[in-house]
Amino acid sequence: SLLSALKPELLLDVHLAPHAEALLAMIRDRCVVQYFAPYTQVSLRTMGDVFEMDVEAVEDVVVALIRAGKIRNARINSI
């Protein structure tokens, strides 16, 4: 993914390297929140394809963002 490609560049920076993982996670979280914004329903499988993550990882990220209040009025329906 694009974020994975950016990681080696961040690790080369003396000042950013210690924060690279956290920075990439924050960027990913912001992208997920923005992805949710225009929709009333979102498929975790489709999100997994878009973000190049497996469904379980996407679900973990979405649950964390819902609990943190960054994605409001959302719930996950398990089938």
Side-chain angles (χ1 to χ4, degrees):
S1 74
L2 185 58
L3 288 179
S4 297
L6 183 61
K7 187 176 179 178
E9 297 290 329
L10 291 175
L11 293 175
L12 291 174
D13 187 296
V14 173
H15 302 289
L16 291 178
H19 311 286
E21 291 294 330
L23 183 59
L24 292 172
M26 290 170 62
I27 293 169
R28 183 209 55 223
D29 290 352
R30 180 66 183 246
C31 292
V32 169
V33 170
Q34 287 182 346
Y35 183 89
F36 261 83
Y39 299 109
T40 57
Q41 286 186 333
V42 176
S43 164
L44 294 179
R45 180 169 289 135
T46 302
M47 283 186 69
D49 293 342
V50 169
F51 289 99
E52 298 180 5
M53 300 168 65
D54 60 40
V55 174
E56 292 80 19
V58 172
E59 185 174 0
D60 291 343
V61 170
V62 171
V63 166
L65 291 171
I66 291 170
R67 287 184 177 156
K70 294 182 181 180
I71 298 176
R72 296 183 183 151
N73 301 320
R75 62 184 177 152
I76 296 175
N77 294 331
S78 297
I79 296 176

